[in-house]
Amino acid sequence: MSALFTNWPRAKWSQWFCQSLLLSCTLLLGSVQAQSLADSNLNGANLTDSTLRGASQYQTLFAQGADNAALLALSQKLNLGETVRGHFVQSRQLKVLKKPLVSQGQFVFDKAQGLIWQQLSPFESLLILKDKQLIQKDSQGRVQISQADASASAAAMGDLLPSLVNAMLGGDISGLSANFELHFFAQEPLAQGKSPQQDSSSSSANWQLGLTPKDPLMKKAIANMVLEGSDTLHALVLLSANPSVSPQDITRIDFSELRQGPLSEAELAQYAISQTTPKDAGPRE
């Protein structure tokens, strides 16, 4: 089975890995999507005004670049410390559907341990990215572990995506320019030298950071990404095409209740799941 994973086409592996990390298991399996669609109580809920306005709202953002001073100020805003946790609501609007696929849950990001992405509704699933491993646990308790260094292309993606998470939740913007073209827009210049804990003003300027993948295979999976926020990160938006294209698939992940603090025993146990579970093969088709 390890040979099967190694021989996977690079484009297919790239798309799977990107969507696994950023969209959770909901976006990987057709049966999972069907279950989301069947839940009429969640479909159509939590669809934000930004999603309804479509991708065209980001044309101004992607028409300009990003200067170093703005990126430095942004990195200070996004740096929430060694460990941050919070809640998410994910709405995926497909151009072929009238209502969005909606899921919600909680996440933990620790600079040393990695990322925990735990979906709680409409059903439970768990995804962990750590030590170049992608660990998935479905609602039936089945655990699957995939190694990101099983091939050269997989290893490259295994390096790229953690850098994105580090930028979103750890303030490490500097590593993004190697893999993404950066675009930045803010209502007013961001103040430098203030962390989110120091800058508690309710009038903080709204900002957007646009990311266009340089790797053509990753760009095929996710054409553009947008980070949005003010005093802290508010949302991650994934676009399937250039902002001028309409209609297109749009995924928006809204973050809330961000908080700091040391890892709990339960969180440490989740990170350790790979040490207590036999290693499985690569991604399921």
Side-chain angles (χ1 to χ4, degrees):
M1 296 300 287
S2 60
L4 175 63
F5 181 71
T6 303
N7 294 329
W8 249 40
R10 185 180 177 210
K12 189 173 184 180
W13 196 98
S14 300
Q15 183 173 14
W16 171 83
F17 196 88
C18 288
Q19 293 182 342
S20 294
L21 173 62
L22 298 176
L23 308 182
S24 80
C25 298
T26 305
L27 306 184
L28 295 176
L29 306 177
S31 59
V32 170
Q33 291 185 349
Q35 186 170 353
S36 295
L37 286 168
D39 194 325
S40 59
N41 291 327
L42 279 176
N43 284 340
N46 297 310
L47 182 60
T48 65
D49 291 339
S50 295
T51 306
L52 289 171
R53 289 197 300 269
S56 61
Q57 63 183 297
Y58 300 113
Q59 290 189 54
T60 300
L61 167 65
F62 284 97
Q64 53 193 321
D67 62 75
N68 291 333
L71 295 178
L72 176 60
L74 180 59
S75 67
Q76 294 168 346
K77 283 185 173 291
L78 291 178
N79 188 359
L80 296 176
E82 295 298 315
T83 305
V84 60
R85 56 185 59 76
H87 295 272
F88 71 86
V89 176
Q90 174 180 297
S91 301
R92 191 185 193 204
Q93 182 64 65
L94 304 178
K95 58 186 177 182
V96 297
L97 299 178
K98 293 182 178 180
K99 294 182 178 181
L101 306 174
V102 179
S103 61
Q104 47 193 309
Q106 59 194 20
F107 69 91
V108 179
F109 172 70
D110 182 84
K111 288 184 177 180
Q113 294 284 351
L115 174 70
I116 296 174
W117 190 262
Q118 185 173 20
Q119 179 178 295
L120 300 177
S121 66
F123 52 89
E124 294 187 5
S125 65
L126 177 67
L127 186 147
I128 301 171
L129 177 70
K130 60 167 294 186
D131 300 330
K132 292 192 176 183
Q133 288 183 328
L134 186 63
I135 306 161
Q136 298 179 75
K137 183 177 181 180
D138 62 22
S139 58
Q140 304 300 316
R142 295 185 293 261
V143 176
Q144 181 179 2
I145 302 175
S146 301
Q147 302 295 327
D149 57 358
S151 68
S153 58
M157 294 300 296
D159 289 334
L160 186 153
L161 292 172
S163 71
L164 176 61
V165 177
N166 280 326
M168 287 196 304
L169 301 173
D172 186 8
I173 301 293
S174 60
L176 290 178
S177 59
N179 299 303
F180 298 93
E181 297 176 5
L182 303 182
H183 310 268
F184 184 76
F185 175 78
Q187 292 178 329
E188 60 186 60
L190 301 183
Q192 293 189 32
K194 290 185 177 182
S195 67
Q197 293 78 16
Q198 295 171 319
D199 185 7
S200 58
S201 171
S202 60
S203 60
S204 297
N206 292 329
W207 53 263
Q208 296 174 334
L209 178 65
L211 307 173
T212 301
K214 293 181 179 180
D215 187 303
L217 294 174
M218 184 175 182
K219 191 171 183 177
K220 184 176 180 180
I222 302 174
N224 292 287
M225 309 179 211
V226 180
L227 303 181
E228 297 182 348
S230 56
D231 54 336
T232 60
L233 176 69
H234 291 171
L236 168 65
V237 181
L238 308 178
L239 307 178
S240 65
N242 291 329
S244 59
V245 176
S246 181
Q248 64 170 283
D249 297 342
I250 302 177
T251 296
R252 182 180 178 91
I253 305 175
D254 287 288
F255 302 100
S256 62
E257 300 182 37
L258 300 183
R259 57 197 186 279
Q260 298 172 283
L263 292 171
S264 67
E265 292 297 325
E267 291 167 344
L268 287 170
Q270 286 182 312
Y271 280 117
I273 190 173
S274 62
Q275 301 174 4
T276 59
T277 304
K279 293 183 180 179
D280 196 1
R284 290 167 290 186
E285 298 193 56

